[in-house]
Amino acid sequence: MPKVTYIEFDGAEHVVDLPEGWTLMQGATLNGVDGIEGECGGSCGCATCHVYVDDAFLDKLDPPSETEEEMLDCTVSPREANSRLGCQIKATAALDGLILRLPEAQS
């Protein structure tokens, strides 16, 4: 199982083992990580699972879809070059060790 580290805005860290195929949003919400809301349940319709992906992992991700790009324009916290929606990234062996930083606010 890939290990993913979620770093809350205040610096609190949560290391979570995610089953392959789970989304990063599911991993956070089902493991009590504060800072990811996932209001739409993972349908790419709310931007409340905004994360900042560690630069070392960006090239291991598929590019964002057009829908994800549109939703990233709606985030409450600033959109950065490494901004993604956690509901659109599934855990894989290639993402073992992934570090995600969470924005100050989601809504």
Side-chain angles (χ1 to χ4, degrees), residues 1-4 18-24 57 60-62 88-98:
M1 270 191 257
K3 286 191 185 303
V4 175
L18 293 185
E20 288 194 40
W22 278 30
T23 67
L24 303 179
F57 287 87
K60 296 179 182 184
L61 302 176
D62 290 332
Q88 298 301 294
I89 302 171
K90 291 187 177 182
T92 65
L95 296 181
D96 186 41
L98 175 64

Side-chain angles (χ1 to χ4, degrees), residues 5-6 8 13 18-19 32 37 53 57-58 60 67 83-84 90-92 101 105:
T5 301
Y6 298 86
E8 293 180 34
E13 292 188 17
L18 293 185
E37 296 173 15
V53 176
F57 287 87
L58 286 174
K60 296 179 182 184
T67 302
S83 288
R84 293 296 301 266
K90 291 187 177 182
T92 65
R101 287 176 176 74

Side-chain angles (χ1 to χ4, degrees), residues 42-106:
S43 65
C44 198
C46 70
T48 62
C49 62
H50 180 204
V51 296
Y52 300 113
V53 176
D54 186 84
D55 290 341
F57 287 87
L58 286 174
D59 64 341
K60 296 179 182 184
L61 302 176
D62 290 332
S65 67
E66 184 177 325
T67 302
E68 182 180 359
E69 288 282 359
E70 291 172 4
M71 291 310 305
L72 285 167
D73 287 337
C74 301
T75 59
V76 172
S77 292
R79 180 180 180 174
E80 305 292 343
N82 62 343
S83 288
R84 293 296 301 266
L85 296 181
C87 70
Q88 298 301 294
I89 302 171
K90 291 187 177 182
T92 65
L95 296 181
D96 186 41
L98 175 64
I99 298 170
L100 301 172
R101 287 176 176 74
L102 306 183
E104 183 174 11
Q106 295 283 3

Side-chain angles (χ1 to χ4, degrees), residues 1-36:
M1 270 191 257
K3 286 191 185 303
V4 175
T5 301
Y6 298 86
I7 303 174
E8 293 180 34
F9 188 76
D10 68 2
E13 292 188 17
H14 305 269
V15 179
V16 176
D17 291 319
L18 293 185
E20 288 194 40
W22 278 30
T23 67
L24 303 179
M25 182 209 69
Q26 286 175 303
T29 58
L30 295 174
N31 285 285
V33 176
D34 288 332
I36 291 185

